[in-house]
Amino acid sequence: MSDVAIIGDIDTVTGFKLAGVKKGYIVKTDEDAENALDELLDGGISIIIITEKIADNIRGYINKRLGSDVLPMVIEIPDKTGSSEGGNDQMAALIKRVIGVEMVK
């Protein structure tokens, strides 16, 4: 595992590809996002970047596929319209999954 990939809207994926990320999946439906995630999980990617809105739409599927695995690391980022309401909650969940400790304010 050594690659980075992006799942998102056309603008986000284009920006990351211009920055050097080789694998990018432009998705328009939840089914497209799930298929892209499946392909990346089966392809040995170590970091998957996904926009928050897409991740929110397929949250149950992401949790089911990843379980408690540490890798690949799934990082949620805002898209061009900005951050979603649950952005901080997802970061806390990522920290808990990676280090096994819940961070409290």
Side-chain angles (χ1 to χ4, degrees):
M1 288 192 180
S2 63
D3 284 336
V4 177
I6 176 81
I7 299 173
D9 59 87
I10 190 167
D11 295 327
T12 304
V13 171
T14 301
F16 273 85
K17 288 190 120 194
L18 288 171
V21 174
K22 294 179 184 168
K23 291 190 179 205
Y25 294 84
I26 299 168
V27 297
K28 295 182 181 186
T29 66
D30 293 349
E31 184 179 352
D32 291 343
E34 291 172 358
N35 291 336
L37 184 64
D38 285 339
E39 188 174 324
L40 293 172
L41 291 174
D42 296 337
I45 299 295
S46 57
I47 299 174
I48 300 171
I49 302 168
I50 185 169
T51 59
E52 289 174 344
K53 289 186 175 123
I54 292 171
D56 287 343
N57 290 343
I58 63 167
R59 174 80 47 226
Y61 191 76
I62 291 171
N63 293 339
K64 181 176 90 174
R65 282 298 315 261
L66 291 178
S68 61
D69 293 341
V70 175
L71 288 177
M73 182 180 294
V74 176
I75 301 172
E76 297 179 20
I77 61 166
D79 62 8
K80 64 183 176 184
T81 61
S83 184
S84 67
E85 294 295 317
N88 290 333
D89 295 336
Q90 296 310 317
M91 185 56 74
L94 175 63
I95 291 169
K96 183 177 180 183
R97 194 176 97 212
V98 172
I99 64 174
V101 177
E102 186 170 356
M103 303 301 284
V104 205
K105 292 181 185 180

